[in-house]
Amino acid sequence: METRDADGQPARELYGLLHLSPDASDEEIKRAYRQWAQIYHPDKHQTIQMQDIATENFQRIREAYEILSDERKRQVYDLYGMEGLTSGLELGPKLKTRDEVRQEFERLQQRQEERKLASHIHHRGSMLVNMSAVQTLKTYDTLPTMHGMAMATQVQAQVSKKNAVVLGGNMALRRGMGGGTVTCVLRRQTSSVSSIEVLGMAGIRSILSIQTSRQLSSHSTGTLGASLSLRDGTITLSNTWSRQLTEDTTGNIQFSLGPDTGVAVGWQKHSKKNSGSCDLKVGPTLFGVTLQYVRTFSPRSHGRITSKVGSMGVEVEIGGERRVSDHSSAALFCSLSLQGISWKLRFTRGGQKFVIPILLCTTLNPRIALGAVFLPASIYSFLKVYFIKPYFLKRKRRKSLEQRRLTVTKVLEARAASEKAQLLLRIVAERKRRKQAQNNGLVIIEAVYGDIKRRQGPAWYLGEEVEDDDADLPPPNIDVTIPIQFLVDDSGELRLHEGVKKAGLMGFCDPCPGESKQLRVTYTYHGHNYQVVVGDYDELRIPQESHRMRDGGADN
């Protein structure tokens, strides 16, 4: 367990302050401290004003050094950040290993965690309404009709740190006939690597089952299960094995023995933009292959294509889903099969789901299939360009302005502190700049950190003109040309370490808390112009030929 900052990343501010990698050795920490002390030690400055600025920043550097140079303090900081150092964690001689530090901190937090568990009650529900528009598309004078519905609900309560109870039920109604089931699940975490689950179901299906899972290694998990049907007395045994094959790929295989004897093999691959899966089921009376591909277009939207081939027929489903708010999403999928053509609309809010399948045709009509696939995409494209995108841009701007107004005092103080820190870096940075210029080396022309898409003023992301409602706020970015030039080493190279938030670097600050930030660096090297943009936690190495600007822009 690691302490995370507001962006969900591990806390690494102290490493940034000393310009160190999180894997820095003790000797590297000492060397970095000595280098910064040469700049910020109060005795190095003559005027009272500069001595005061130096004293303030030297205290920050010394505090960072005292923590990172102490093995036990560094262990706590790496695991829990500054919270671990200020939470009353014992750092006596008996705490020697990383595991002992972890155990002591967890012991101090256990009581608070147990109190939180009592409030961990999660509710999920879904409602499905089957609609038919077959007659509507034939005569155009009737409305779609409902020919079935189903409802399900589930409540999960964490009764203790290791025990959870799940209560659920569902019912379905179709063509005047209906039924339902009630389910109860007891789940217990028997150890850090194993759990056991007991399920009871009564209703149309009456089942009693038990299942146990165990993490066999850091990359594999095994599950054993047995279920008894209380209606006909049949028993089903199952065994599932899953393993992480690569960093982004997992595989699983399941054996079942009983009324539905068979073997199921699955494979899943996940990446930042693309995901795919393949499932194969083989049995005496059942055969099926399912292929799925998911493409992520943005953090809020993704598309999906699913194809199923087997003894039950052939079906292709294509569609997409988009988040309309932090807790809500909407999706539309088109299903094409030998049994007909249908749409499936889905709305999700929190743990509640509302699904509306609409049957369009009972045969695979090419004309209706073409319209069913392309009509929703055309309508969505029109709405996205003229309504959805402008709406989200305005809402994003409004939230950004609200956040900036709430943090304006904090930002102004941070900007003032960073400007003072840059005063002491300026002389050395200018000396390095002149030396690099004489040698035709690395010269930083401009470096901007923060929301780099908005340099100044109220112009928004797409360059559209908006009302001047943020003129009284500091810009959501800061000029860091001086500290970036200062960090250029004698060999004419610059490296910012991966995983270290750039706001923690000396001379930097966070100009827009709670928002995504980037660093843009424009520089010259051997008479050519270069430019690069990196994320807040990404590594930066310059110069690089891939950053070279051609035809008025950067290659990257």
Side-chain angles (χ1 to χ4, degrees), residues 147 176 206 213 276 306 321 440 483 552:
H147 57 85
S206 298
S213 299
T306 305
E321 182 171 9
N440 205 19

Side-chain angles (χ1 to χ4, degrees), residues 436 442 487-495 525 541-543:
Q436 292 295 324
L442 178 57
L487 294 175
V488 175
D489 60 27
D490 294 336
S491 63
E493 295 181 350
L494 168 68
R495 180 187 179 186
Y525 184 72
R541 285 179 178 266
I542 58 175

Side-chain angles (χ1 to χ4, degrees), residues 360-406:
L360 303 177
C361 183
T362 55
T363 60
L364 191 56
N365 186 305
R367 180 173 58 87
I368 296 179
L370 189 65
V373 172
F374 289 101
L375 182 61
S378 301
I379 294 175
Y380 173 73
S381 298
F382 175 81
L383 293 176
K384 179 180 179 181
V385 172
Y386 294 100
F387 295 97
I388 298 176
K389 196 169 185 177
Y391 167 75
F392 279 109
L393 286 175
K394 290 181 180 179
R395 192 177 74 163
K396 186 175 182 179
R397 173 171 172 76
R398 185 173 63 251
K399 288 186 176 181
S400 174
L401 287 173
E402 292 175 355
Q403 177 68 18
R404 290 175 62 194
R405 293 190 185 281
L406 289 174

Side-chain angles (χ1 to χ4, degrees), residues 151-215:
M151 298 179 65
T153 186
Q154 182 185 92
V155 178
Q156 176 176 316
Q158 194 76 30
V159 296
S160 69
K161 191 174 182 179
K162 295 185 177 181
N163 299 296
V165 177
V166 180
L167 298 176
N170 64 76
M171 66 176 186
L173 176 64
R174 183 179 177 86
R175 297 177 180 176
M177 300 181 62
T181 60
V182 177
T183 304
C184 178
V185 180
L186 304 177
R187 187 178 299 122
R188 177 174 175 80
Q189 192 75 28
T190 54
S191 70
S192 60
V193 296
S194 61
S195 64
I196 188 170
E197 181 179 289
V198 179
L199 178 146
M201 182 183 297
I204 296 180
R205 299 180 61 196
S206 298
I207 296 175
L208 182 63
S209 71
I210 184 170
Q211 176 178 287
T212 179
S213 299
R214 183 176 180 84
Q215 185 174 343

Side-chain angles (χ1 to χ4, degrees), residues 36-58 420-428:
W36 285 108
Q38 291 293 322
I39 303 297
Y40 285 106
H41 197 285
D43 294 342
K44 300 290 183 179
H45 304 277
Q46 302 298 324
T47 66
I48 297 179
Q49 179 185 8
M50 299 300 282
Q51 287 179 350
D52 291 340
I53 296 174
T55 299
E56 179 181 345
N57 288 279
F58 182 70
K420 291 180 180 179
Q422 289 189 25
L423 284 176
L424 303 184
L425 300 176
R426 184 184 299 275
I427 296 176
V428 177

Side-chain angles (χ1 to χ4, degrees), residues 229-240:
S229 174
L230 302 181
R231 298 180 65 87
D232 55 19
T234 57
I235 297 176
T236 300
L237 303 177
S238 63
N239 185 8
T240 304

